[in-house]
Amino acid sequence: MLTCAVLPFQAVSLLNEIPPFPAFLCRAVAIFVWLGLGSSVVNLALIAFIRYSIITKSRSYFDRLLTKAKLFLFVCGAWVVPFSFIFLPPAFDVGAVGYAQRYKICTADSTHPLSDVYAASGLIVELPCLVLIVFCYVKIYRFVRNAGRNLIQPKNRLTITEDHEKLAIFRRQVKVTKNLFIVVCTYVICVMPFGFNSLPGPTYPLIPWTLLLLFTNSCLNPIIYGLKHPQFKEVFWSIMTLSWRNIPEPSSLITSFSNIST
């Protein structure tokens, strides 16, 4: 959402030969972009880890993992980590956010001698998260493959009903995981080209195009959720048609909209 909110500013900046905004506004746009993208990959890594825990671990392990305190730490970490990598390097004079004259967008300030190093520092967040994501989904795949064989072959008749119930729950979890895996794959496809282009080297002419692909990911996620998740699809359709009363379990804000519309 943060990235989508500042896309118009980046588009205007890209179409102008000189900075079209004041320096403070360009810095704010760059911060929102990197904060949104950084929190996205950290959230995807956390989601992958949680799905891995739900599917492959025991219920007691899952209950110990997802306490309210730990969930609070997970959510805070998803924002604190990218926030730190945005502000800590400039604090030590390693780059700065601002206008990149070379690319005509608001990102790393190209006038700083260490701007390329600062831009590449984002990989410190992305790469460990991507490794964790790949690890979790590989482990999930191996577990699903082995567990699925056992569940569809009950050992005796007394366990047939119980096994069918377990199989139904198991299939629901696998379906959710598959949908999340599509989101992850989309993110990797959109982000990795820009990540490699951010490394110092002769590939910088490709950055505007890989950056466009990077921003596209933020626009694709709502579409993926709307198409693959029935709950999201129902809510999105209700919002688009202003059918507030059809939204399941509406928040107080949605309820107020519904009362106003009537």
Side-chain angles (χ1 to χ4, degrees):
M1 184 179 294
L2 284 176
T3 306
C4 290
V6 297
L7 281 181
F9 295 95
Q10 295 285 44
V12 172
S13 180
L14 190 61
L15 295 174
N16 285 270
E17 292 297 325
I18 60 174
F21 310 116
F24 77 90
L25 181 57
C26 194
R27 285 194 293 268
V29 169
I31 289 171
F32 280 128
V33 167
W34 293 122
L35 186 60
L37 294 174
S39 63
S40 293
V41 69
V42 176
N43 273 304
L44 288 176
L46 290 173
I47 290 172
F49 177 69
I50 291 172
R51 298 308 306 175
Y52 164 75
S53 302
I54 291 175
I55 293 178
T56 65
K57 301 297 182 180
S58 64
R59 179 59 184 268
S60 59
Y61 175 87
F62 178 72
D63 290 338
R64 292 195 305 271
L65 175 67
L66 291 187
T67 61
K68 291 183 178 180
K70 290 179 180 178
L71 281 175
F72 177 78
L73 291 177
F74 287 160
V75 173
C76 290
W79 293 96
V80 170
V81 170
F83 189 88
S84 300
F85 278 92
I86 292 172
F87 290 100
L88 282 181
F92 294 95
D93 199 29
V94 181
V97 293
Y99 183 75
Q101 183 64 42
R102 179 187 293 174
Y103 312 122
K104 306 294 189 297
I105 57 173
C106 299
T107 175
D109 186 354
S110 59
T111 61
H112 196 285
L114 296 177
S115 62
D116 289 337
V117 176
Y118 179 53
S121 66
L123 295 176
I124 300 176
V125 177
E126 287 187 11
L127 290 180
C129 289
L130 291 175
V131 170
L132 177 61
I133 290 169
V134 171
F135 170 81
C136 289
Y137 280 107
V138 168
K139 297 291 286 186
I140 289 172
Y141 170 76
R142 295 179 62 181
F143 181 85
V144 167
R145 184 183 60 182
N146 296 330
R149 294 171 182 171
N150 296 331
L151 285 174
I152 62 177
Q153 296 178 355
K155 295 181 179 180
N156 55 68
R157 293 183 179 180
L158 294 177
T159 62
I160 290 178
T161 302
E162 181 181 354
D163 284 341
H164 278 304
E165 293 176 354
K166 290 181 179 179
L167 182 59
I169 297 173
F170 183 75
R171 284 175 173 170
R172 285 197 297 270
Q173 295 292 346
V174 170
K175 184 178 180 180
V176 172
T177 303
K178 286 181 178 178
N179 293 339
L180 292 172
F181 184 68
I182 293 174
V183 174
V184 171
C185 288
T186 304
Y187 181 86
V188 172
I189 292 172
C190 293
V191 170
M192 288 310 294
F194 179 77
F196 287 117
N197 274 166
S198 297
L199 297 173
T203 60
Y204 71 85
L206 297 175
I207 281 189
W209 304 103
T210 56
L211 187 64
L212 177 62
L213 185 63
L214 176 67
F215 290 153
T216 301
N217 175 75
S218 299
C219 303
L220 289 177
N221 280 342
I223 298 175
I224 295 173
Y225 282 117
L227 292 177
K228 300 298 294 183
H229 294 265
Q231 295 86 353
F232 282 102
K233 184 185 298 184
E234 182 180 359
V235 173
F236 286 166
W237 180 251
S238 299
I239 293 174
M240 291 175 63
T241 58
L242 302 181
S243 303
W244 310 110
R245 292 186 177 276
N246 295 332
I247 297 178
E249 301 181 12
S251 64
S252 57
L253 179 62
I254 296 298
T255 303
S256 64
F257 282 152
S258 178
N259 294 333
I260 292 173
S261 62
T262 56

